[in-house]
Amino acid sequence: RPIKSFVKLRSMSGQFPIRQAGYTADTRSAVGGPMRPALTSQQMAPHPYARLGGSRSRDRRGRVTTVRPTAPPAQPRLADRELPHTIRDLVPESQAYMDLLRLEQKLDATIMRKRLDIQEALKRPVKKKCTLRLFVTHQFFVTQSTLMSDEGVGTLESSWELKIEGRVLKDPTVQPGDASSPERKFSTFLKGLVIELDRDMYGPDSHLVEWRRTLQTQETVGFQVGRKGELPVKCKAFLTLDSQPARYRLDARLGRLLGIHTDTRPGVVNALWTYIKAHKLQDRNERDHINCDPPLQQIFTVARMKFSDIPQRLHGLLHPPDPIVINHLISNDAYDRPRVACYDIEIEVDDTVKQNMSSFLLSATSQQDIAGLEAKVQDTIQGINKLKIKREFFRGFARSPHAFIHRWLISQNKDLKTMKDVAGCSEEERHGDYYNMPWTQEAVYRYFYSKVQQKRGELEKALGIRST
């Protein structure tokens, strides 16, 4: 963001400066902390263990251990939050939970679609029209001059001051304490301001006063001009609005053709494309070309052009917009009493709904709450599944205790072998018929072949023979 700095004001003659009316914007210094020295090439080199995805450390015995970073917690899946069919059959009321789960799916899909719509809407400028009210105030003063007359008494001098201030009229639909619509200063709406006084009265060198926006502009609530004199003064104020995005005044012929006087560059291109489609000027064979009709030929001076050439050809047909002219008479009918004249100008400002949409997309509070509730639901479903397993366990034991214990011991025996990495069945291997099965001979062949290959590899390694 640009740092606010002082407003640069100047007079065309350099003799009569413009003073600012009211308070100016606060200036704050952007002072950061001490800068750290730049890294050397050795410090910037990648760590040799960086590719392992973790860090290495040594224990007390000097052995190197790798510490792997923990993986982020997995997102809960929809299947982890569904109730098993057996529970749904046992508890018919659980169907209401499943209905809520389906409704949540639809709601999530709708919210995601709305988020995408908001992201697309934020790419386009969202503007609303409002009224900028200008207050043009003038006042005459009578002061005693420092110059002494022949009688030794100071002479009286007359002078006047002109103030131009402005503010946006409040929208009646916005609450008074709404922080989403802060009040902007008057100079933020302007790109330039020129005050033209009576040339015959103040001469060609001091009848113009100008203010232009620069990179060092400090925002202000108004402008003030002062001069000496006691006669009424005719003046003109030329205000150039600062539109975002920038608006342009169309060439007279192009404006009459499109029915537009002032618009943004995208708006002009869109209106031109609408005219091309309405008159079917797009080439049927080469879709990226336009066959210009007589009005377009007079404007662009070509009979045929590409779509990509339109922005370049529009460059010479778009001009800066005309300034707003205010004619004002600085009258001297009443001294020491200000005279105020009001003028309303219709402008476009950023709609506050855009800020609300941005804050909605960036807000993470609701997402954290939803993630916490989903974790609680998942833990509850896991607890229900564990209770279901316990229920089936005890029901199987209650139906047939002897058969249940037998099956349970067989299952535990398999689990124990798996944990101890034990292959085969010790009870079957005790009998001789186990070794007369058809697969025994093939197993012996494979065993001896693997041993022969192992010994061959050891000999080749000892003799330094490369195996082919």
Side-chain angles (χ1 to χ4, degrees), residues 101-315:
L101 199 60
R102 298 294 180 265
L103 180 61
E104 183 188 7
Q105 286 181 301
K106 296 180 180 179
L107 186 60
D108 290 342
T110 304
I111 292 176
M112 181 59 65
R113 187 171 63 253
K114 291 298 181 182
R115 281 181 173 271
L116 296 177
D117 295 341
I118 291 174
Q119 291 178 358
E120 291 296 328
L122 289 176
K123 297 178 182 178
R124 301 186 296 269
V126 182
K127 299 289 184 179
K128 69 174 182 179
K129 292 185 178 181
C130 58
T131 302
L132 176 64
R133 177 159 294 178
L134 300 181
F135 299 91
V136 182
T137 308
H138 70 270
Q139 184 177 3
F140 271 83
F141 300 95
V142 178
T143 57
Q144 189 172 4
S145 175
T146 57
L147 299 177
M148 305 300 292
S149 63
D150 298 337
E151 290 80 7
V153 182
T155 59
L156 298 179
E157 290 184 351
S158 297
S159 61
W160 55 264
E161 286 186 351
L162 176 68
K163 295 180 182 179
I164 300 179
E165 300 171 304
R167 67 171 181 266
V168 178
L169 298 183
K170 293 294 184 179
D171 190 354
T173 60
V174 179
Q175 298 295 331
D178 191 3
S180 62
S181 57
E183 186 174 357
R184 294 173 55 181
K185 295 184 180 297
F186 173 55
S187 60
T188 59
F189 299 101
L190 301 180
K191 188 183 296 183
L193 171 64
V194 178
I195 300 176
E196 180 182 354
L197 303 176
D198 193 343
R199 183 186 181 94
D200 299 334
M201 185 177 298
Y202 292 98
D205 297 332
S206 60
H207 75 293
L208 288 179
V209 182
E210 183 181 15
W211 173 84
R212 296 292 180 187
R213 176 177 295 280
T214 62
L215 297 177
Q216 293 79 26
T217 297
Q218 184 182 8
E219 308 303 343
T220 179
V221 297
F223 303 95
Q224 182 172 328
V225 181
R227 290 290 191 276
K228 294 181 180 180
E230 57 183 6
L231 298 177
V233 181
K234 293 182 180 180
C235 68
K236 290 183 180 181
F238 299 89
L239 292 86
T240 304
L241 297 179
D242 187 13
S243 303
Q244 297 295 334
R247 300 178 68 86
Y248 300 92
R249 176 175 55 85
L250 276 68
D251 184 77
R253 294 177 298 176
L254 183 60
R256 287 194 301 269
L257 182 67
L258 302 180
I260 299 175
H261 181 267
T262 306
D263 203 344
T264 60
R265 188 182 294 271
V268 175
V269 174
N270 188 25
L272 184 59
W273 170 239
T274 304
Y275 177 84
I276 293 171
K277 290 194 299 182
H279 293 78
K280 300 180 181 180
L281 301 180
Q282 188 176 9
D283 196 295
R284 295 182 179 179
N285 299 324
E286 299 181 14
R287 307 297 292 178
D288 57 339
H289 282 73
I290 302 170
N291 298 320
C292 298
D293 57 357
L296 288 181
Q297 291 182 14
Q298 294 179 1
I299 296 173
F300 294 106
T301 65
V302 291
R304 197 165 181 264
M305 62 179 178
K306 289 185 177 181
F307 275 103
S308 57
D309 297 339
I310 291 179
Q312 182 179 0
R313 294 185 179 276
L314 284 176
H315 183 71

Side-chain angles (χ1 to χ4, degrees), residues 360-387:
F360 171 73
L361 293 179
L362 297 177
S363 62
T365 306
S366 59
Q367 299 296 327
Q368 294 175 358
D369 297 341
I370 292 174
L373 294 176
E374 287 182 350
K376 290 182 180 180
V377 172
Q378 187 178 5
D379 295 340
T380 305
I381 297 300
Q382 290 178 357
I384 292 175
N385 290 330
K386 291 180 182 179
L387 294 175

